[in-house]
Amino acid sequence: MKTLIKNGTVVNATGVGAADVLIDGETIAAVLAPGSTLLGFDIERNVDTVVDAAGKYVIPGGIDAHTHMEMPFGGTFASDTFETGTRAAAWGGTTSIVDFVVQYPEQNILDQYHAWHEKAAGNCAIDYGFHQILSDVQDASLTAMDELIAEGVTSFKLFMAYKGVFLSDDGQILRAFQKGASNGALMMMHAENGAMIDVLVRQAIEAGNTSPYYHGLTRPWQAEEEATHRAIMIADLTGAPLYVVHVSAKQAVEQIAAARDRGLNVFGETCPQYLYLSLEEQLGAPGFEGAKWVCSTPLRARSEGHQHHMWQSLRTNDIQMVSTDHCPFCMKGQKELGIGDFSKIPNGIGSVEHRMDLMYQGVVDGQISLSRWVELTSTTPARMFGLYGRKGVIQPGADGDVVVYDPAGHTSIGLGKTHHMNMDYSAWEGYEIDGHVDTVISRGKVIVDSGQYLGAKGDGRYIKRGLSQYLI
């Protein structure tokens, strides 16, 4: 199967230019000047499919490197399966995800890894890889890290919060980071001071402050900044590269920026919710409505300037990429578990379908450039997690993961509009985007085109990742 994308404007992280893109089978065969012939052949006459991208951008498929499909949490499960979540991702221009294998205390890490393969295999609409969560670092955990690297799982996440569920103490984190320094793994951190948060939560509940708004107040920026600093110090001591997930507080960004200024391999991601949503407007919604936006780290106060600082940090590369932390829960029967006690609301927001659009709106609004849009959502995730060259770029030899994006189009987000996630509400209800995903191609197959889903369950394959390609 050969596909020619003609007359488009190709956008890579390195620049923008008019070009035609030829996909042969599952890979990009050539990037040519518009209307070129190839060795004397008329390309358009010798392909199976022609996509006319006149007036549109041709970009590498998005890579969402932080998702939680079917994740067990808080007495329930994330509502998106690998089938529904990856199909929604495809609708939104994302052609690869990296999901988290969950290990709770006393669970065998390798058993959990194989369980996640069983969940995903044959169900995904797009390509997928795995990170591994480590909840209690023992000798067996360190051995498993080496084994998983051989399996293409080259990044490991630890938590400084959720006592009895995920939390590792500093000594356990130190041991895991020492292993990462020796085997090349990228160490990922949920950076919040869990002990501080647990006290603040208990005090709020005892005082009768039980609404979703208090989820944000009991996870203050100081808890995020302190934990981020502590993780950086452990990384500095051991020499392990550190990737801080879902950064939401400007003070945490400042810690990351200072570490990078010292030459450390310290990186950070943020998420669309920390760029657009806020403590006052969403978590503070009347009644129990704020539960829709309960996530951790929490939404921050717009009055304190966190959202503005996040956009700035994306421009200056103090934060390197944008993922979603996609962990959706329905209001009915799931978020409702926290009525009368915000600490029982399952933590998570569904965004995997909307990340590319929401970040493109940042281009329209003058927050980031076109090339930076692609860099943040595709190229850097590929480099950070050992996929670059195969993913994250429009160039010969790369996988045929290509999105045709129409800047003259329009996207209305919300239930009954653009919403294919397995949720009974949209965290992005009413958002309007000055752009539209027109065509999505995954490894050479057109899976979304002109408002129709053409893909199938099982189109996606497991991606065996290499070590990070983003290190200093």
Side-chain angles (χ1 to χ4, degrees):
M1 176 69 74
K2 293 183 176 66
T3 300
L4 176 66
I5 305 169
K6 68 175 187 176
N7 301 325
T9 299
V10 171
V11 184
N12 276 314
T14 50
V16 180
D20 293 346
V21 178
L22 176 64
I23 303 174
D24 188 354
E26 296 189 349
T27 60
I28 296 172
V31 181
L32 305 157
S36 296
T37 60
L38 189 62
L39 299 176
F41 287 97
D42 183 328
I43 301 172
E44 189 168 344
R45 287 190 168 192
N46 289 276
V47 299
D48 303 285
T49 304
V50 176
V51 177
D52 190 350
K56 301 174 184 179
Y57 300 128
V58 180
I59 65 171
I63 301 170
D64 191 343
H66 189 156
T67 68
H68 297 283
M69 306 301 177
E70 303 182 38
M71 178 182 174
F73 185 80
T76 186
F77 285 81
S79 56
D80 261 324
T81 65
F82 279 94
E83 180 182 359
T84 64
T86 57
R87 186 170 61 237
W91 273 106
T94 288
T95 55
S96 302
I97 63 166
V98 190
D99 201 78
F100 283 87
V101 176
V102 176
Q103 182 232 354
Y104 289 112
E106 309 304 325
Q107 289 181 329
N108 180 280
I109 291 171
L110 295 179
D111 286 349
Q112 292 301 104
Y113 167 67
H114 292 303
W116 252 250
H117 267 295
E118 290 176 8
K119 291 182 182 185
N123 290 315
C124 293
I126 57 175
D127 288 353
Y128 60 96
F130 293 129
H131 310 288
Q132 176 69 56
I133 288 174
L134 305 177
S135 67
D136 59 338
V137 179
Q138 309 297 335
D139 290 344
S141 310
L142 305 179
T143 301
M145 287 174 69
D146 287 332
E147 295 182 50
L148 286 170
I149 283 180
E151 293 286 322
V153 179
T154 57
S155 41
F156 299 85
K157 181 182 178 183
L158 295 104
F159 288 75
M160 291 174 157
Y162 301 117
K163 184 177 181 180
V165 181
F166 286 131
L167 183 142
S168 295
D169 64 36
D170 290 352
Q172 291 174 315
I173 294 169
L174 175 71
R175 293 187 72 200
F177 276 42
Q178 287 173 332
K179 173 59 76 171
S182 68
N183 66 14
L186 181 62
M187 307 308 296
M188 309 174 76
M189 184 60 69
H190 178 123
E192 289 186 292
N193 187 312
M196 288 169 52
I197 290 167
D198 290 347
V199 170
L200 293 172
V201 168
R202 185 170 63 251
Q203 290 174 342
I205 298 298
E206 289 173 352
N209 298 321
T210 62
S211 73
Y213 181 70
Y214 289 93
H215 172 79
L217 296 186
T218 57
R219 305 182 88 96
W221 62 259
Q222 290 91 341
E224 185 180 350
E225 181 185 19
E226 186 281 329
T228 301
H229 175 75
R230 186 158 32 107
I232 290 168
M233 290 300 99
I234 298 172
D236 192 9
L237 175 63
T238 60
L242 169 65
Y243 178 93
V244 184
V245 299
H246 48 54
V247 179
S248 65
K250 63 182 182 180
Q251 294 85 356
V253 176
E254 290 164 357
Q255 292 291 332
I256 293 167
R260 290 175 58 75
D261 288 346
R262 299 201 308 272
L264 300 183
N265 275 309
V266 174
F267 315 105
E269 73 172 20
T270 194
C271 307
Q273 52 266 36
Y274 308 124
L275 297 168
Y276 287 103
L277 309 179
S278 74
L279 171 71
E280 303 98 326
E281 296 155 319
Q282 276 74 40
L283 281 180
F288 192 66
E289 280 294 293
K292 294 177 178 178
W293 298 282
V294 165
C295 60
S296 299
T297 53
L299 305 183
R300 300 294 177 192
R302 192 178 303 280
S303 60
E304 295 176 355
H306 297 282
Q307 292 79 3
H308 172 79
H309 195 90
M310 284 297 151
W311 281 112
Q312 177 179 297
S313 72
L314 294 177
R315 290 192 295 273
T316 60
N317 207 41
D318 290 331
I319 293 293
Q320 289 69 49
M321 53 185 272
V322 178
S323 304
T324 59
D325 191 11
H326 178 75
C327 193
F329 297 97
C330 293
M331 282 291 280
K332 187 172 179 59
Q334 292 191 304
K335 293 282 189 178
E336 288 176 346
L337 292 170
I339 293 175
D341 183 348
F342 68 84
S343 68
K344 293 182 169 57
I345 301 170
N347 287 210
I349 288 178
S351 299
V352 74
E353 184 174 356
H354 306 311
R355 180 184 64 119
M356 299 298 289
D357 283 324
L358 290 165
M359 294 312 298
Y360 180 73
Q361 190 62 42
V363 177
V364 175
D365 294 343
Q367 297 283 7
I368 54 175
S369 69
L370 262 179
S371 287
R372 186 63 173 157
W373 172 48
V374 168
E375 188 173 16
L376 291 168
T377 57
S378 183
T379 306
T380 296
R383 292 181 61 201
M384 191 70 72
F385 295 110
L387 293 169
Y388 186 73
R390 180 179 175 186
K391 308 286 187 185
V393 63
I394 304 286
Q395 70 178 19
D399 282 357
D401 295 349
V402 180
V403 173
V404 177
Y405 198 90
D406 184 2
H410 187 83
T411 303
S412 297
I413 300 178
L415 283 177
K417 300 172 185 176
T418 54
H419 182 93
H420 300 88
M421 298 174 290
N422 188 30
M423 300 173 65
D424 60 3
Y425 74 96
S426 173
W428 301 98
E429 190 72 43
Y431 271 70
E432 302 291 337
I433 306 298
D434 296 313
H436 188 267
V437 173
D438 276 7
T439 304
V440 180
I441 302 172
S442 175
R443 276 187 291 99
K445 178 180 177 179
V446 177
I447 58 174
V448 175
D449 189 49
S450 302
Q452 289 188 302
Y453 182 71
L454 306 174
K457 176 181 174 180
D459 281 342
R461 296 179 191 163
Y462 174 67
I463 317 165
K464 192 173 183 178
R465 299 185 292 112
L467 299 178
S468 177
Q469 299 156 288
Y470 205 82
L471 304 188
I472 299 169

